[in-house]
Amino acid sequence: MELVFISIGLGLLAVIYGFVTSRQVLGASAGNEKMQEIAGAIQEGAQAYLNRQYATIGMVGVVVAVLVGVFLGVIPAVGFLIGAILSGVAGYIGMNISVRSNVRTAAAAETSLQSGLTIAFRAGAITGMLVAGLALLAIAVFFYVLVGQMGFAANSRDVIDGLVGLAFGASLISIFARLGGGIFTKAADVGADLVGKVEAGIPEDDPRNPATIADNVGDNVGDCAGMAADLFETYVVTVGATMVLTALLLTQLDDLLMPLMALPLLIGGACIVTSIIGTYFVRLGKGTNVMGAMYKGFLVTAVLSIPLIWFATAHALGTAGTDMNTVLNPGTGMVEFTGRDLFYCSLIGLVLTGVIIWITEYYTGTNYRPVRSIAKASETGHGTNVIQGLAISLESTALPTIVIIAAIIGAYELAGLIGLAYGATAMLALAGMVVALDAYGPVTDNAGGIAEMAGLDESVREKTDLLDAVGNTTKAVTKGYAIGSAGLAALVLFSAYTADLNAFADKLGLDVVDGRAAVNFSLENPYVIVGLLLGALLPYLFGAMGMTAVGRAAGDVVKDVREQFKEKPGIMDYSEKPDYARTVDLVTKAAIKEMIIPSLLPVLAPIVVFFVIRWIDGSASAFAALGALLLGVIVGGLFVALSMTAGGGAWDNAKKYIEDGNHGGKGSEAHKAAVTGDTVGDPYKDTAGPAVNPMIKITNIVALLLLAALAH
Amino acid sequence: MELVFISIGLGLLAVIYGFVTSRQVLGASAGNEKMQEIAGAIQEGAQAYLNRQYATIGMVGVVVAVLVGVFLGVIPAVGFLIGAILSGVAGYIGMNISVRSNVRTAAAAETSLQSGLTIAFRAGAITGMLVAGLALLAIAVFFYVLVGQMGFAANSRDVIDGLVGLAFGASLISIFARLGGGIFTKAADVGADLVGKVEAGIPEDDPRNPATIADNVGDNVGDCAGMAADLFETYVVTVGATMVLTALLLTQLDDLLMPLMALPLLIGGACIVTSIIGTYFVRLGKGTNVMGAMYKGFLVTAVLSIPLIWFATAHALGTAGTDMNTVLNPGTGMVEFTGRDLFYCSLIGLVLTGVIIWITEYYTGTNYRPVRSIAKASETGHGTNVIQGLAISLESTALPTIVIIAAIIGAYELAGLIGLAYGATAMLALAGMVVALDAYGPVTDNAGGIAEMAGLDESVREKTDLLDAVGNTTKAVTKGYAIGSAGLAALVLFSAYTADLNAFADKLGLDVVDGRAAVNFSLENPYVIVGLLLGALLPYLFGAMGMTAVGRAAGDVVKDVREQFKEKPGIMDYSEKPDYARTVDLVTKAAIKEMIIPSLLPVLAPIVVFFVIRWIDGSASAFAALGALLLGVIVGGLFVALSMTAGGGAWDNAKKYIEDGNHGGKGSEAHKAAVTGDTVGDPYKDTAGPAVNPMIKITNIVALLLLAALAH
C-alpha cells in the first residue's frame, strides 16, 4: 500500500502545482478595459456552454449510474460517478483557466514574446497537470479505499468492476465533451468563416462578425475542455486497464500482485514529477523558435522519465523482495518476463510518443512536403486542394500505424500482453506534458483574437500570431498522440475482455475447454468476420454523424449572422454592436442537441450486436462477434481518426503557409482554395477525428460491463 | 464432364451474342462527317492509350509469368497467361465497341430517344456478355483441358494451382487496367474542367478545350475497359475460388466432387442465358424513364435466373444420383448441407445484388436525401459542399455493410463456407447484365460530348443528356455491386488460404494439431492484430497514391492546356484548332507512369510482411499475420471503396441536380461549389475507389501463391 500512498502524494503534487501556477497566471495583468470586456464575453459564453453541457450530460450520467448500480452493484456505480465527476472537473477547471489566461497572454505579449509564451504555456500546464493529477488521484484513492479500507482482495471482482466503472464514467463524459465541444467549436468556426471571410469580406476575429465570440468560445470548449476530458479518460482507462489486466492474467504471482497492480500508478506519479520539471524548460533561446521551446520542455520530461521509471519499477519489485532481473512466471500460457522487460516496455511507450509526435509534425508542419504539396495544389483551385488534402490524409496513416505495430510486437515479445499494457501506461504517463502543449493552443488562439478585436498594436498581433502558429501544430501533435495511445489502450481493454470471458465462462453458460471459455475468436469463424465488419463500420457512421452535425450547425450560424447583418445594418460601420450572445446561445443549443445520438452509438452498438447474434446463433457466437467488434472498432477507428486529424492539420497549415506569402499569399486564388481546404479540415480534425478516441474505448468498456452484467 | 461442356456451350453463346449484336450496332449510321471526325479522334486516342497500356502491362506480365513458372510450375504459369490475356481481350474488345457506338448513339438520338437507348445499351451489352462469356470460357475450357484431357484429378494440386494462376493473371491485368484507366480518365476530366470550366469559362465538351478529346477517351478506357477487366477478374476469381474451395474443403463427397466443382460454371452459364434475355427487355415504356427501362432488363434477368439456378443445381446433383433434399456430409468440421441449401445461398446472392443496387441508387440518385443534402450544402459554399459530401460518403458504407453481413450470416448458416462461395458465385453470375449497365455509361457520355462538339441540334443534346444522366447512376451502381461482390469473393479466397494452409502444413514445416496447421488465427494473437492493422492500412496507402497520381497528372493537363491557349491564341475564336493528340499523349504517359507503383503494392506487401514476421517470430506467426492481413485488406478495403464510390457519385449528381435548376442552377455560387465537390469526387469514385477491388483480391491471391511456392 506504500506504493499507492506515494502515487497519491504525487497526484496531489500535480494539483498543488496547478493551484500555485494558476495564482501566478491570474496575478498577471489582464490588459485594458476593452480587452477585459471581450475576454468577459468569451468567459461568459464558455461558462454558459459548459453549464448547459454538463447539465445535459449530468442527466444522462445519472440514468447510466442507476443502470450500472442495478446491473452491476454499488461499487461500479460509485466508480462511475467518481470517473464522471472528476473528468468533468478537469475539463471545467482547465477551461476556466484558459478563458482567463487568453487576455493575460495578449497583455503579456505587449511586453515581450517570452512573457506571452510563459503565460500561455503555464495556462496549458495547469490543465495538463490537473488532468494527470486528478486522473491519478481518482484511481489511486479509489483503489486504496477498496483494498486498503474496505479490505477487498486486489484482484477481487469488486475491485476489477469498480475500476471498469471508473473508466466508464470518465469515458462517457469524455465522448460527450469531445463531441459537444467539437461540434460547438467547428460550427462556430466554419460558420464565422463562411459568412465573415467569404461573404462579408471581413477578416478573421473581426469584432463586426457576430459569430466571432462564439468562435473564440469554441476554441476553449473544444480544444481545452474537450481534450482535457479526452486525455483524462485515456489516462484512467489505460492505467485502470493495466491494473485490471494484471489482476486477471497474472494468476501465479501472489506476493508480487499488489506491487505490480500499484506500479502503473507509481509510473504515472513519477512522470508527474518529470512533467513539472519539464514545464520550466519551456523557454525561448536567442531566436523566436517557439516550437523549439516547447520541444525542449517535452524532451526534458521524456528523458528524465527514463531513470525515474527504472527506479519506480525496481522499487516496486523490491517491496516484494525481487529485483529487476528475476524471471517472473505469471501463469499458464503467459509470456515470462522480468522487471527489466517491463522497464523496456515502458521505454517503448516513451519512444513511441516521441516518434508519433515527430511524424505528426512532419504531416502537419509547414516545413515539409505534405503541407507544401497541398499549398501547391491550391494554385489550380478548390478541387485540387481538397484532392491533395484527402490524399495526404489517407497517406498520413501509414507511418503511425507502422510504428504502433513495431511497438506492439516489441512490447509483446518482451513481456506479452502485460508488456503492451506497460507501453501504453508509459505513453499516458506523459499526458500532463502533452496536454500542456495542447491546452496552450486555445489560449494563444484567443489571445490573437482579443488583440485583433481590441485593436491592439500591430506588433502585438504579430507576437500572438507567432505564438498561435505553433498552437496549430501542437494541437495536431496532441491528437496524434491521443489516438496512438487510445489504440494501445483499446488493445489492452480487448485483452481484458478475453480474460474476463475466461474468468466468467461458467456464469455465462459457456463451455470451458482447458480452463478457457469455448469462444472461437479465430478469423475462420464467420461471426468474427461479422464482428470485425460491424466494428469497423462504427467509426465511419460516427464520423458521418459528426460531420453532418457540424455542417448543419454551421448552416444555422450562417443564417443567424446574415439575419443580424440585415437587422442591424450599422454593424458594418461599427455604429451598432452585434448580438454575440445570441450566436453563442444558438451554437450552444445546436451542439448539445447534436452530440446526444452519436455519443450513444458506441454505448448501444455492442449491446445490440451481442443480443442479435445471440438470438441468431447462441452465446458463443455472440461473444465471438462482440470481441471481434471491439477489435474492428480499434482497427477501423485508428485509421479514421489518424487520417482525419492529420489531414485537417495539414489543410489548416497549408492555408497558413500561403498566408505567409507563398503561392500568391493572402487574397490570391490559391488562398481562397486553401480556405476551402481549411474549412473541410475543421470538422475532420476537431470534431469527428478526435471524438473517435473515446468512442473506441467506450465500445470496449461497454463490452466489459456487459460481460459483468450478464455474469451477475 | 457433361456439365462443363454445357457451360462451355453457354459461354460460346455469350460470345456469339456479342458478335451478332456488334454487327447490328456497327451497321447503324455513324452520323455526319464532323461527328465521324470527332469520334475518330476519340478512337485513335483510346487505341493509342490501350496499346501503350497493354505493352507496359505485357512486360510486367511476362516477368510475373516467368516467376510463376519458376516458383510454381508450368500449369499455373499457363493459367496466369490465359487469365491475363483474356482479361485484356475483354477490355480491348469492349472499348473498341464503345468508341464506335458513341457516335452511332448520337446519330440515333437524332431519330428518337429509344433508338439512342437501343444502340447505347446494346453496345454495353456486348461488353457485358463478352466479359461474362470469356470469363466462363477461360475457366471451363482450362478446367476441361486439365481434367478431361490431361487427366488430372479434379481436386489435384495441379488443377487448384492452375485455377489460382488463372485468377492471378486476371487480377494483375485488372489492377493495372483499373488504375491506369482510372488515372487517365480522371486526370483528363479534372484537368479539362479546371482549366476549361473554371479558368476559361467555356462549357464542358467544348471543342476549343484541348483536353476535351482526352476527357472522352478517358471515359472509355476507365469506365469501359477498366470496368470490364475488373469484373472479368472478379468473375474468374469468384467462380475459380468456389471451385478451389470445393476441392479443398469437401473431402468426403467422392461422386459429388466433380458435379459440385462444375456447378458454379453451370450457374454462370445459366445466367448468361437470362442476361441475354434481359437485354431485350430494356425498352422505354410510354414516358422517358430510361432508368426504369434499365431496371426492367435487370429485373427480368434476376427473376428468370431463379428457376434456372434451381434447375442447374438439381441437374448437377442428379448426375451423381442425388437430389435437392439429400443431406451432404462434406467432411469433418464442415457444415452439412443439401442442394436446396446451395440454391438458397445462390438466392441470397441474387437478392444481395438487387439490394446493393437499390442502396447505391439511394445514395447517388438525385431523388433522395443524400444527394439533395449535398446540393443544399452547396448554397453556403465550397467548404460545406465538401463537408457534407464527405459525411455522406462515410455514411454510405453502413447499409451495404449491414446487408453484406446479413448475407454472410445467412449463407453460412445454410451451408457453411461453401454457402458463402455460392452466394458470391450467383452474385457474379449476373455480371453480364451488370457490366452492360455500366458500359452503357461511357457510350452515352461520349455521345453527349460528340453531339456538343459537332454542334448538333439542341434537341439531340437534350436526348443524349437524358441518356447520360442515367449513366451516372448505373456507373455508381455497378461499382457498388463490384465492391460488394469483391468483398464476398475475397472472403472465399481467405477461406481458401486457411484450407490451403491445412493442406500444406507438413510441407510448410508447421505443426499439425487435429489434422489442422497449428497457426493461431485467434484475435488474441498479437500477430493477428498486427496483420489486421497492416491489411487495413493497404487500401489507405493505395488510395493516397491513386489520389495523388490524379492530382499530379491533372496538374500537368492544366499546364498543357494553358500553354496551348497561349501558343495558339486563335483557339478561343475557333480560328485555330487545339492539338488534342498532344494532351492525349501527355495523359497517356502520365497514367502509365503513375499506375506502376501502386499496382505493385498489393503484390509485394503480403510477401514482405510474411518474410519480416517470419524473421521476427517464425513461420506460425508469419502465417497468422499474413492471414490476418488478408482479412484486414477486406475489412479496410470494403469501407474505403464503398465510401469513395458512393461519395463520388453523390457529389457528381448533386452538381447535376443543381444544373437541373435547383438552388440557383447553372452559374450560381452553389453550382460553383458543386463543381468543386464533383472534382473532388472524381478520383474518389473513378480512380482510387474502384481500384481497391482488384487490390483486395490480388493481395489474397498472392498469399495463396506464396503458400504454394513455399510448399513446393
Side-chain angles (χ1 to χ4, degrees):
Chain A
M1 219 23 95
E2 173 221 339
L3 302 174
V4 179
F5 285 136
I6 300 178
S7 311
I8 293 176
L10 294 172
L12 285 174
L13 178 67
V15 176
I16 293 168
Y17 170 90
F19 185 73
V20 173
T21 311
S22 66
R23 302 221 37 167
Q24 285 173 3
V25 169
L26 295 181
S29 155
N32 64 34
E33 203 178 320
K34 179 119 197 232
M35 288 160 74
Q36 289 187 31
E37 186 197 325
I38 297 163
I42 298 175
Q43 269 170 49
E44 210 177 284
Q47 198 73 46
Y49 172 74
L50 238 56
N51 287 344
R52 195 126 82 188
Q53 175 180 286
Y54 284 129
T56 310
I57 300 178
M59 284 186 288
V60 179
V62 169
V63 173
V64 176
V66 170
L67 288 174
V68 170
V70 170
F71 286 103
L72 289 160
V74 175
I75 293 175
V78 172
F80 174 87
L81 286 175
I82 297 175
I85 292 169
L86 283 186
S87 166
V89 168
Y92 208 83
I93 300 182
M95 202 225 39
N96 268 297
I97 297 296
S98 185
V99 293
R100 282 171 179 77
S101 318
N102 50 13
V103 64
R104 290 173 171 81
T105 301
E110 291 188 291
T111 323
S112 73
L113 187 64
Q114 175 69 57
S115 316
L117 172 62
T118 303
I119 298 272
F121 184 75
R122 292 250 164 102
I126 296 166
T127 309
M129 294 314 148
L130 280 178
V131 165
L134 288 177
L136 186 61
L137 282 175
I139 320 173
V141 172
F142 191 49
F143 184 71
Y144 166 69
V145 171
L146 290 177
V147 179
Q149 294 290 312
M150 297 173 70
F152 292 112
N155 61 352
S156 67
R157 209 61 232 179
D158 296 280
V159 173
I160 293 174
D161 287 352
L163 288 174
V164 175
L166 184 71
F168 184 45
S171 291
L172 197 68
I173 299 307
S174 164
I175 196 167
F176 280 115
R178 248 300 175 210
L179 202 59
I183 294 171
F184 188 112
T185 178
K186 290 305 125 173
D189 189 357
V190 171
D193 281 1
L194 285 176
V195 81
K197 283 195 216 171
V198 182
E199 283 187 25
I202 50 178
E204 203 170 334
D205 292 327
D206 191 290
R208 288 171 294 179
N209 190 335
T212 189
I213 293 290
D215 185 10
N216 280 289
V217 169
D219 293 336
N220 292 296
V221 299
D223 284 321
C224 185
M227 181 54 106
D230 185 357
L231 278 173
F232 177 89
E233 175 254 4
T234 309
Y235 196 112
V236 169
V237 168
T238 308
V239 175
T242 304
M243 294 170 73
V244 168
L245 205 62
T246 307
L248 284 170
L249 289 182
L250 307 187
T251 49
Q252 290 173 18
L253 293 179
D254 310 324
D255 277 358
L256 271 169
L257 181 70
M258 190 61 199
L260 278 182
M261 279 187 82
L263 179 53
L265 299 172
L266 203 58
I267 291 177
C271 291
I272 283 180
V273 176
T274 59
S275 295
I276 292 177
I277 298 174
T279 59
Y280 293 102
F281 283 82
V282 177
R283 313 203 126 270
L284 291 173
K286 280 174 193 161
T288 57
N289 184 355
V290 181
M291 199 69 219
M294 298 280 193
Y295 282 152
K296 221 168 12 182
F298 173 78
L299 217 66
V300 167
T301 300
V303 170
L304 285 182
S305 297
I306 299 173
L308 243 68
I309 290 180
W310 170 277
F311 180 75
T313 311
H315 181 70
L317 293 176
T319 60
T322 46
D323 66 17
M324 292 295 272
N325 297 317
T326 313
V327 177
L328 308 175
N329 177 6
T332 26
M334 299 291 303
V335 180
E336 293 184 343
F337 59 86
T338 65
R340 191 180 281 272
D341 290 330
L342 291 184
F343 167 72
Y344 289 141
C345 291
S346 305
L347 218 57
I348 287 178
L350 297 182
V351 172
L352 181 60
T353 305
V355 174
I356 284 191
I357 289 179
W358 183 81
I359 294 172
T360 315
E361 206 202 322
Y362 172 74
Y363 273 102
T364 58
T366 48
N367 291 325
Y368 305 98
R369 174 189 60 85
V371 167
R372 294 199 171 177
S373 73
I374 299 176
K376 186 158 176 6
S378 311
E379 282 186 357
T380 38
H382 301 263
T384 39
N385 167 290
V386 177
I387 290 176
Q388 186 59 25
L390 286 172
I392 292 297
S393 94
L394 292 170
E395 184 197 309
S396 68
T397 58
L399 288 179
T401 307
I402 289 170
V403 298
I404 288 173
I405 285 172
I408 291 174
I409 293 180
Y412 188 83
E413 289 290 329
L414 283 165
L417 288 172
I418 292 295
L420 204 58
Y422 271 86
T425 295
M427 201 168 173
L428 260 300
L430 299 180
M433 189 65 194
V434 178
V435 174
L437 296 180
D438 181 82
Y440 159 93
V443 175
T444 57
D445 199 344
N446 268 223
I450 292 170
E452 177 81 31
M453 284 186 271
L456 294 190
D457 193 72
E458 186 61 27
S459 70
V460 179
R461 178 79 218 209
E462 267 168 32
K463 281 182 221 149
T464 58
D465 273 355
L466 261 177
L467 293 174
D468 187 28
V470 174
N472 247 334
T473 306
T474 60
K475 277 188 278 180
V477 156
T478 326
K479 280 167 207 150
Y481 161 83
I483 289 153
S485 62
L488 286 191
L491 287 181
V492 176
L493 284 176
F494 172 74
S495 312
Y497 172 81
T498 55
D500 237 8
L501 207 54
N502 293 327
F504 281 141
D506 269 345
K507 289 189 188 162
L508 295 171
L510 293 166
D511 293 337
V512 178
V513 180
D514 297 336
R516 296 172 63 80
V519 171
N520 178 9
F521 280 122
S522 166
L523 298 177
E524 296 167 88
N525 178 357
Y527 287 100
V528 166
I529 295 174
V530 165
L532 283 172
L533 285 171
L534 284 172
L537 172 60
L538 290 181
Y540 274 81
L541 209 51
F542 184 77
M545 288 176 177
M547 300 279 286
T548 312
V550 169
R552 199 156 36 205
D556 291 348
V557 172
V558 170
K559 274 182 212 136
D560 176 69
V561 172
R562 279 184 190 156
E563 273 169 31
Q564 291 209 27
F565 281 150
K566 202 180 280 173
E567 289 163 15
K568 301 183 175 181
I571 290 179
M572 270 303 162
D573 59 11
Y574 300 94
S575 65
E576 280 182 279
K577 254 185 84 173
D579 186 349
Y580 301 122
R582 178 173 134 182
T583 316
V584 170
D585 192 55
L586 178 139
V587 186
T588 298
K589 281 185 191 145
I592 302 276
K593 196 182 72 188
E594 300 277 4
M595 80 180 176
I596 302 283
I597 292 177
S599 299
L600 291 179
L601 182 70
V603 177
L604 298 179
I607 299 174
V608 171
V609 168
F610 174 80
F611 285 106
V612 170
I613 304 278
R614 189 167 80 165
W615 173 71
I616 296 177
D617 202 63
S619 280
S621 294
F623 284 116
L626 182 56
L629 178 137
L630 305 184
L631 255 195
V633 175
I634 301 172
V635 171
L638 191 70
F639 290 98
V640 169
L642 282 173
S643 67
M644 285 184 168
T645 50
W651 261 313
D652 195 342
N653 272 339
K655 186 193 71 177
K656 281 238 163 23
Y657 181 70
I658 291 178
E659 285 173 354
D660 289 346
N662 303 292
H663 303 291
K666 263 191 182 172
S668 64
E669 284 304 311
H671 184 239
K672 282 183 199 154
V675 169
T676 293
D678 178 37
T679 309
V680 173
D682 271 343
Y684 242 49
K685 73 177 199 296
D686 289 320
T687 313
V692 167
N693 278 356
M695 199 211 81
I696 295 175
K697 278 165 287 169
I698 286 201
T699 319
N700 278 271
I701 292 171
V702 168
L704 281 177
L705 292 172
L706 182 66
L707 268 189
L710 289 168
H712 261 266
Chain B
M1 219 23 95
E2 172 222 336
L3 302 174
V4 178
F5 286 135
I6 301 178
S7 310
I8 293 176
L10 294 172
L12 285 173
L13 179 66
V15 175
I16 293 168
Y17 170 89
F19 185 73
V20 172
T21 311
S22 66
R23 302 223 31 169
Q24 286 174 2
V25 169
L26 295 181
S29 156
N32 64 34
E33 203 179 322
K34 179 123 197 227
M35 289 160 73
Q36 290 187 29
E37 186 196 327
I38 298 162
I42 298 175
Q43 268 170 48
E44 209 178 289
Q47 199 72 47
Y49 172 74
L50 238 57
N51 287 344
R52 194 127 82 190
Q53 175 179 285
Y54 283 129
T56 311
I57 299 179
M59 286 186 286
V60 178
V62 169
V63 173
V64 175
V66 170
L67 289 174
V68 171
V70 170
F71 285 104
L72 289 161
V74 175
I75 293 176
V78 171
F80 174 85
L81 287 174
I82 297 176
I85 292 169
L86 283 185
S87 166
V89 167
Y92 208 83
I93 300 182
M95 201 225 41
N96 267 297
I97 297 296
S98 185
V99 292
R100 283 172 178 76
S101 317
N102 50 13
V103 64
R104 290 172 171 82
T105 302
E110 290 187 293
T111 323
S112 73
L113 188 64
Q114 174 69 55
S115 314
L117 172 62
T118 303
I119 298 273
F121 183 75
R122 293 252 163 101
I126 296 167
T127 308
M129 293 314 147
L130 280 178
V131 165
L134 288 177
L136 186 61
L137 283 174
I139 320 174
V141 172
F142 191 50
F143 184 71
Y144 165 69
V145 171
L146 290 177
V147 179
Q149 293 289 312
M150 298 174 69
F152 292 113
N155 61 350
S156 67
R157 208 62 231 177
D158 296 280
V159 174
I160 294 174
D161 287 353
L163 288 173
V164 175
L166 184 72
F168 184 44
S171 291
L172 196 68
I173 299 307
S174 163
I175 197 167
F176 281 115
R178 247 301 173 213
L179 201 60
I183 295 172
F184 187 112
T185 180
K186 290 305 124 174
D189 189 359
V190 171
D193 281 2
L194 285 175
V195 79
K197 282 195 215 170
V198 182
E199 282 187 26
I202 51 179
E204 202 170 332
D205 292 327
D206 191 292
R208 289 170 293 179
N209 190 333
T212 189
I213 294 289
D215 185 9
N216 280 289
V217 169
D219 293 336
N220 291 294
V221 301
D223 285 322
C224 185
M227 180 54 104
D230 185 356
L231 278 174
F232 178 90
E233 176 253 4
T234 310
Y235 196 112
V236 170
V237 168
T238 309
V239 174
T242 304
M243 293 170 73
V244 168
L245 206 62
T246 307
L248 284 170
L249 288 182
L250 307 186
T251 50
Q252 291 174 15
L253 294 180
D254 310 322
D255 277 357
L256 271 169
L257 181 68
M258 190 61 201
L260 278 182
M261 277 187 84
L263 180 53
L265 298 171
L266 204 58
I267 291 178
C271 291
I272 282 180
V273 176
T274 58
S275 294
I276 291 178
I277 298 174
T279 60
Y280 292 101
F281 283 82
V282 177
R283 315 204 124 270
L284 291 173
K286 280 176 193 159
T288 57
N289 184 354
V290 182
M291 199 68 218
M294 299 279 195
Y295 282 150
K296 220 170 7 180
F298 174 78
L299 218 65
V300 167
T301 300
V303 170
L304 285 182
S305 297
I306 298 173
L308 243 67
I309 291 178
W310 171 276
F311 180 74
T313 312
H315 181 69
L317 293 176
T319 61
T322 46
D323 66 18
M324 294 294 272
N325 296 317
T326 313
V327 177
L328 308 175
N329 178 5
T332 26
M334 300 291 303
V335 179
E336 293 184 344
F337 59 85
T338 66
R340 192 181 279 273
D341 290 331
L342 291 185
F343 168 72
Y344 289 141
C345 291
S346 305
L347 218 58
I348 287 178
L350 297 181
V351 173
L352 180 59
T353 306
V355 175
I356 284 190
I357 288 179
W358 182 81
I359 294 170
T360 315
E361 206 201 320
Y362 173 74
Y363 274 102
T364 59
T366 47
N367 291 325
Y368 306 99
R369 174 190 59 85
V371 167
R372 295 200 170 176
S373 73
I374 298 176
K376 186 158 179 5
S378 311
E379 282 184 358
T380 37
H382 302 262
T384 39
N385 167 290
V386 177
I387 289 175
Q388 186 59 25
L390 286 172
I392 292 297
S393 95
L394 292 170
E395 185 196 308
S396 69
T397 58
L399 287 179
T401 307
I402 288 170
V403 297
I404 288 173
I405 285 172
I408 292 174
I409 293 180
Y412 188 83
E413 290 289 331
L414 284 164
L417 288 173
I418 292 295
L420 204 59
Y422 271 86
T425 295
M427 202 169 172
L428 260 298
L430 298 180
M433 189 66 193
V434 178
V435 173
L437 297 179
D438 180 81
Y440 160 93
V443 175
T444 56
D445 199 344
N446 268 223
I450 292 171
E452 177 83 28
M453 282 187 273
L456 294 189
D457 194 74
E458 187 61 28
S459 70
V460 180
R461 179 78 220 210
E462 267 169 31
K463 281 180 222 150
T464 58
D465 273 356
L466 263 177
L467 294 173
D468 187 29
V470 174
N472 247 335
T473 306
T474 60
K475 277 187 280 181
V477 156
T478 326
K479 280 167 206 149
Y481 161 83
I483 289 153
S485 62
L488 287 192
L491 287 180
V492 176
L493 284 176
F494 173 74
S495 312
Y497 172 80
T498 55
D500 239 9
L501 207 54
N502 293 326
F504 282 140
D506 269 344
K507 291 190 187 162
L508 295 171
L510 293 166
D511 293 337
V512 178
V513 181
D514 298 336
R516 296 171 64 80
V519 171
N520 178 9
F521 279 122
S522 167
L523 298 176
E524 296 167 87
N525 179 356
Y527 287 100
V528 166
I529 295 173
V530 164
L532 284 172
L533 286 171
L534 284 171
L537 171 59
L538 289 182
Y540 275 81
L541 209 49
F542 184 78
M545 289 176 178
M547 301 280 286
T548 312
V550 169
R552 199 155 38 203
D556 291 347
V557 172
V558 170
K559 273 181 213 137
D560 177 69
V561 172
R562 280 184 190 155
E563 273 169 31
Q564 290 210 27
F565 281 149
K566 204 180 281 173
E567 288 163 16
K568 302 184 175 181
I571 289 178
M572 270 303 164
D573 59 10
Y574 299 95
S575 65
E576 281 183 278
K577 256 187 84 174
D579 187 349
Y580 301 122
R582 176 172 137 183
T583 316
V584 170
D585 193 56
L586 179 138
V587 186
T588 299
K589 281 186 191 144
I592 302 276
K593 196 182 75 190
E594 300 276 5
M595 80 181 175
I596 304 283
I597 291 176
S599 299
L600 291 178
L601 183 70
V603 177
L604 298 178
I607 300 175
V608 171
V609 168
F610 174 80
F611 285 105
V612 170
I613 304 280
R614 191 169 76 165
W615 172 72
I616 296 176
D617 203 63
S619 281
S621 293
F623 284 117
L626 181 56
L629 178 138
L630 304 184
L631 255 194
V633 175
I634 301 173
V635 171
L638 191 71
F639 290 99
V640 169
L642 282 173
S643 67
M644 284 184 168
T645 51
W651 262 313
D652 194 342
N653 271 338
K655 185 193 72 176
K656 282 236 160 29
Y657 181 71
I658 291 179
E659 286 174 353
D660 290 345
N662 302 293
H663 302 292
K666 263 191 183 173
S668 64
E669 284 304 311
H671 184 239
K672 281 184 198 155
V675 169
T676 293
D678 179 38
T679 309
V680 173
D682 272 341
Y684 242 50
K685 74 176 197 297
D686 289 320
T687 313
V692 167
N693 278 355
M695 199 213 81
I696 294 175
K697 279 165 288 167
I698 287 201
T699 319
N700 278 272
I701 292 172
V702 168
L704 281 178
L705 292 172
L706 182 66
L707 268 190
L710 289 169
H712 261 266

